[in-house]
Amino acid sequence: MDDEDGYFDESVAATYDESSSDMFAPAAVEPVVDVLAAIAGSGRALELGIGTGRIALPLSARGVPVHGIELSTAMAARLRAKPGGDEIGVTVGDFATTEVGGSFSLAYLVFNTIMNLTTQAAQVACFRNVAAHLEPGGRFVIEVMVPNLQRLPAGEIFHVFHGSEDSWGIDEYDVATQGLTSHHLEMVDGRYERFSVPFRYVWPAELDLMAQLAGMTLRERWAGWNREPFTNDSRQHVSIWELPAL
Ligand SMILES: C[S@@+](CC[C@H](N)C(=O)[O-])C[C@H]1O[C@@H](n2cnc3c(N)ncnc32)[C@H](O)[C@@H]1O
């Protein structure tokens, strides 16, 4: 992967909204925006990995000033071209380290994007970077999957998460490093093409420790945006950490 846009280069950006259409449906977006708008209150919101503005645009339309950090200029260009996109500032850079002016009542990182940081050090740096941007009492919200290791028999490294005649999705685990590479294979003109993206899976308790290192404490953990209880069976979580008020 040589491209400065990372794994979300022009070819991915061009089809992102269409290929994630379930995540763009009002039923998926509205509960997220409701939670985030309530937390932001009269303050500003910072989205890490803002992408094409799936959440930022409707949040901004609710009157919350939103700023984004985004690695991919191709994704940011798609956001800018949409109605309301000119209301949203985007700083191009790595959200683990990039500094943005001003302070925020809310920072958020949705759709498993914390896992795009592929080392523990980078994930810890991300929490510290967020804390540096939050005002006292500010909150950090993450939406991420619970690592799916219960699906992986001992000694196995591959888990097929999708299979059909002409497309396959296979996760490859490295449990020693918490590495997870998602392989997507698509049949194109009679040959399989592979697109593989590396992630680092991360445990809820590990995220709490990262928050603690950055001076934040857990306020809420739900199984979803409708505030469903987080249980043994939850496959994802929405977690909210808070910086102390002065
Ligand atoms: C799965 S998409 C999510 C986009 C948007 N938040 C959404 O919910 O639709 C992940 C986004 O994060 C960006 N990204 C990944 N790693 C990043 C990093 N280290 N710094 C900044 N942006 C990053 C990608 O370019 C991509 O636009």
Side-chain angles (χ1 to χ4, degrees), residues 8 16 47 49 51 54 70-71 75 93-95 110 113 116-117:
F8 291 78
Y16 177 80
E47 179 165 1
R54 184 179 68 91
E70 173 56 54
L71 203 58
M75 294 289 275
D94 179 350
F95 58 61
V110 295
T113 303
N116 284 84
L117 298 174

Side-chain angles (χ1 to χ4, degrees), residues 1-2 6 13 18 30 68 71 88 123 148-149 153 156 175 192 207 211 222 232 243:
M1 197 269 304
D2 307 323
E18 197 188 335
E30 280 164 13
L71 203 58
I88 297 173
Q123 292 176 349
N148 217 0
L149 292 195
E156 291 288 339
V175 295
Y192 274 109
L207 291 167
W222 305 314
N232 268 343
L243 209 59

Side-chain angles (χ1 to χ4, degrees), residues 35-45 59 62-65 105-106:
V35 167
L36 297 179
I39 295 173
S42 56
R44 300 168 68 216
L59 186 60
R62 291 270 190 103
V64 177
S105 57
L106 163 70

Side-chain angles (χ1 to χ4, degrees), residues 36-229:
L36 297 179
I39 295 173
S42 56
R44 300 168 68 216
L46 178 65
E47 179 165 1
L48 311 183
I50 194 168
T52 62
R54 184 179 68 91
I55 301 300
L57 284 165
L59 186 60
S60 167
R62 291 270 190 103
V64 177
V66 182
H67 191 93
I69 302 177
E70 173 56 54
L71 203 58
S72 164
T73 55
M75 294 289 275
R78 301 266 157 186
L79 160 59
R80 237 174 263 124
K82 291 180 181 175
D86 52 350
E87 300 283 316
I88 297 173
V90 178
T91 304
V92 172
D94 179 350
F95 58 61
T97 51
T98 298
E99 289 174 29
V100 167
S103 65
F104 298 84
S105 57
L106 163 70
Y108 63 97
L109 180 49
V110 295
F111 204 173
N112 296 321
T113 303
I114 184 71
M115 290 170 45
N116 284 84
L117 298 174
T118 55
T119 66
Q120 188 184 58
Q123 292 176 349
V124 168
C126 173
F127 273 76
R128 291 202 160 112
N129 195 31
V130 163
H133 285 87
L134 288 178
E135 59 194 36
R139 298 201 183 169
F140 182 29
V141 180
I142 282 188
E143 172 197 37
V144 66
M145 62 184 272
V146 175
N148 217 0
L149 292 195
Q150 286 177 341
R151 303 295 301 271
L152 198 69
E156 291 288 339
I157 61 169
F158 294 111
H159 172 239
V160 177
F161 61 87
H162 169 77
S164 69
E165 199 160 317
D166 53 8
S167 84
W168 291 86
I170 303 169
D171 279 339
E172 179 179 359
Y173 284 85
D174 181 343
V175 295
T177 62
Q178 294 188 199
L180 167 58
T181 304
S182 281
H183 303 286
H184 302 262
L185 293 103
E186 298 283 339
M187 183 75 85
V188 179
D189 298 332
R191 293 167 63 92
Y192 274 109
E193 289 186 357
R194 179 166 65 91
F195 177 61
S196 299
V197 184
F199 298 98
R200 178 180 187 272
Y201 64 83
V202 59
W203 300 97
E206 192 184 7
L207 291 167
D208 292 341
L209 197 53
M210 293 180 189
Q212 189 183 321
L213 290 171
M216 295 184 276
T217 48
L218 184 69
R219 284 294 304 256
E220 305 281 359
R221 172 158 291 138
W222 305 314
W225 293 100
N226 293 307
R227 300 174 169 81
E228 301 89 336

